[in-house]
Amino acid sequence: MASYDHSDVSEREVKDRGEKEEKKDEEKGGFMDKVKDFIQDIGEKIEEAVGFGKPTADVSGIHIPQINLEKAEIVVDVLVTNPNPIPIPLIDINYLIESDGRKLVSGLIPDAGTIHAHGSETVKIPVCLVYDDIKSTYADIQPGSIIPYKVKVDLIVDVPVFGRLTLPLEKTGEIPIPYKPDVDIEKIHFDKFSFEETVATLQLKLENKNDFDLCLNNLDCEVWLCDVSIGGAELTKSTKIDKNGFSFMEIPITFRPKDCGSALWDMIRGRGTGYSIKGNIDADTPFGAMKLPISKEGGETRLKKNKEDGGDDDEDEVCKSCCTDAYLSSSFLN
């Protein structure tokens, strides 16, 4: 009778069993791969059929709707395009404005809205630059200067298939730090003189201390002689003041000398009297329209004989010139 080696049988059974399990694993792995490929193919076909895609964004413009000595209001326009058949939400908008690597202002706008399906929309990001904050942080940024800036925006959107995406954007430009113009009265030409009503023309000197041009469209101011108001004055025609330059302009004014009291007589006697000017100018600039204040205190006026009359400088001649063709010269008291 033949005898069997039990160890050989056991090894053969284990080997056969292992081959069968390995074959099953291969069949299972192949099936799962086929399922994954099938699901991926279906997903791609659905994506192609439905039209899912990543949204795009671009900074389409930067506007400065308001700017004055205190602050600049900036609006960043971002054009967002949604190629998907369903609306996508704007989860958050992070923004930063910096100059030469230094932060000027930053912020977060949560729940910024929804971009409609298969559409493009302009998202407006309002930003406010407060000049006092900037100047107190960076002492080298001086009033009247122009500084470079960079706007950085991160749009965070939630898109089906792709999930949450961040769309980074950048835009560079320049922004001014405005400075109010200096104003002086150079002279006053009397067109008509009487104590009831005097018509005169103020010759003002405006100095532009900014690194950009000012195109004046309107000026309104009030003038005081020795704390007595002699009325208001307005600009009759527009004028341009070059950057870091000055311009002379003539402003008509009407007042009643008898209301000036002793101030007028002090001028006539050559003693001089103080004057003040306060008002505003409306100007166009390369950065948009600006409304800037003008003011002057501590000026001094003296009435002098017009040299064209060839008269003396005594008091009677000065009074006579006041009634004909006189002018007031002005000097600032240091």
Side-chain angles (χ1 to χ4, degrees):
M1 177 179 288
S3 61
Y4 295 94
D5 190 341
H6 292 287
S7 62
D8 292 342
V9 173
S10 298
E11 288 177 0
R12 189 181 301 111
E13 288 177 352
V14 171
K15 182 178 181 181
D16 291 342
R17 203 177 294 121
E19 290 176 350
K20 288 180 181 179
E21 290 178 355
E22 185 177 344
K23 186 177 182 180
K24 287 181 180 179
D25 290 340
E26 290 177 356
E27 292 176 351
K28 184 178 179 180
F31 175 75
M32 293 302 296
D33 289 339
K34 289 180 180 179
V35 170
K36 290 179 180 178
D37 292 340
F38 175 76
I39 292 175
Q40 184 175 353
D41 291 341
I42 292 297
E44 291 177 354
K45 290 180 180 179
I46 291 175
E47 183 179 331
E48 291 175 0
V50 177
F52 280 110
K54 294 182 179 179
T56 59
D58 185 34
V59 178
S60 58
I62 297 179
H63 311 285
I64 307 178
Q66 183 179 4
I67 186 168
N68 51 42
L69 293 183
E70 289 78 32
K71 63 182 180 179
E73 295 181 2
I74 302 173
V75 177
V76 182
D77 291 339
V78 177
L79 181 64
V80 185
T81 300
N82 177 19
N84 300 293
I86 60 174
I88 59 172
L90 273 173
I91 299 174
D92 289 322
I93 297 178
N94 291 301
Y95 64 85
L96 166 69
I97 297 183
E98 62 181 21
S99 178
D100 293 330
R102 301 178 298 183
K103 185 181 78 171
L104 301 181
V105 65
S106 63
L108 168 68
I109 303 176
D111 302 325
T114 301
I115 308 300
H116 296 300
H118 293 307
S120 297
E121 294 186 34
T122 298
V123 179
K124 296 185 178 296
I125 304 174
V127 182
C128 183
L129 289 179
V130 179
Y131 291 130
D132 281 346
D133 294 342
I134 296 174
K135 289 182 286 188
S136 62
T137 306
Y138 308 113
D140 60 312
I141 298 180
Q142 298 297 321
S145 61
I146 299 174
I147 61 173
Y149 72 83
K150 178 184 289 185
V151 176
K152 295 182 178 181
V153 178
D154 286 337
L155 295 177
I156 303 175
V157 297
D158 192 1
V159 184
V161 178
F162 297 97
R164 183 170 292 195
L165 300 175
T166 298
L167 307 177
L169 307 170
E170 286 188 4
K171 189 78 170 182
T172 59
E174 292 182 328
I175 192 167
I177 311 295
Y179 192 63
K180 69 177 184 178
D182 277 354
V183 60
D184 281 309
I185 296 179
E186 284 293 301
K187 64 181 179 180
I188 302 179
H189 181 277
F190 290 91
D191 303 301
K192 172 187 173 184
F193 186 92
S194 72
F195 289 101
E196 292 296 328
E197 181 183 70
T198 290
V199 179
T201 301
L202 298 179
Q203 187 180 77
L204 298 184
K205 177 184 178 182
L206 276 178
E207 184 177 0
N208 180 14
K209 294 191 173 183
N210 295 284
D211 289 335
F212 52 89
D213 297 342
L214 294 176
C215 184
L216 270 61
N217 296 320
N218 186 41
L219 177 149
D220 63 271
C221 64
E222 190 169 2
V223 182
W224 286 265
L225 293 178
C226 196
D227 297 327
V228 177
S229 173
I230 63 171
E234 294 185 359
L235 184 68
T236 56
K237 61 180 181 179
S238 61
T239 185
K240 179 184 176 184
I241 310 178
D242 294 332
K243 62 179 182 180
N244 298 310
F246 59 88
S247 178
F248 295 96
M249 59 194 64
E250 295 185 344
I251 308 294
I253 190 170
T254 301
F255 66 99
R256 299 187 351 150
K258 70 177 184 179
D259 295 335
C260 296
S262 61
L264 183 64
W265 294 112
D266 287 340
M267 286 189 295
I268 291 175
R269 294 184 176 94
R271 297 176 182 174
T273 188
Y275 74 84
S276 301
I277 304 174
K278 291 183 181 179
N280 297 280
I281 62 170
D282 294 328
D284 289 332
T285 75
F287 307 95
M290 293 187 191
K291 190 178 187 71
L292 300 174
I294 56 173
S295 63
K296 178 75 170 199
E297 295 185 11
E300 185 180 84
T301 64
R302 295 179 185 274
L303 191 61
K304 295 182 180 180
K305 178 73 175 67
N306 192 324
K307 294 181 180 179
E308 294 178 358
D309 290 347
D312 298 327
D313 281 339
D314 58 53
E315 184 173 319
D316 292 338
E317 288 296 328
V318 170
C319 292
K320 186 185 298 182
S321 69
C322 177
C323 298
T324 55
D325 189 18
Y327 65 90
L328 290 173
S329 67
S330 307
S331 61
F332 185 64
L333 293 180
N334 296 320

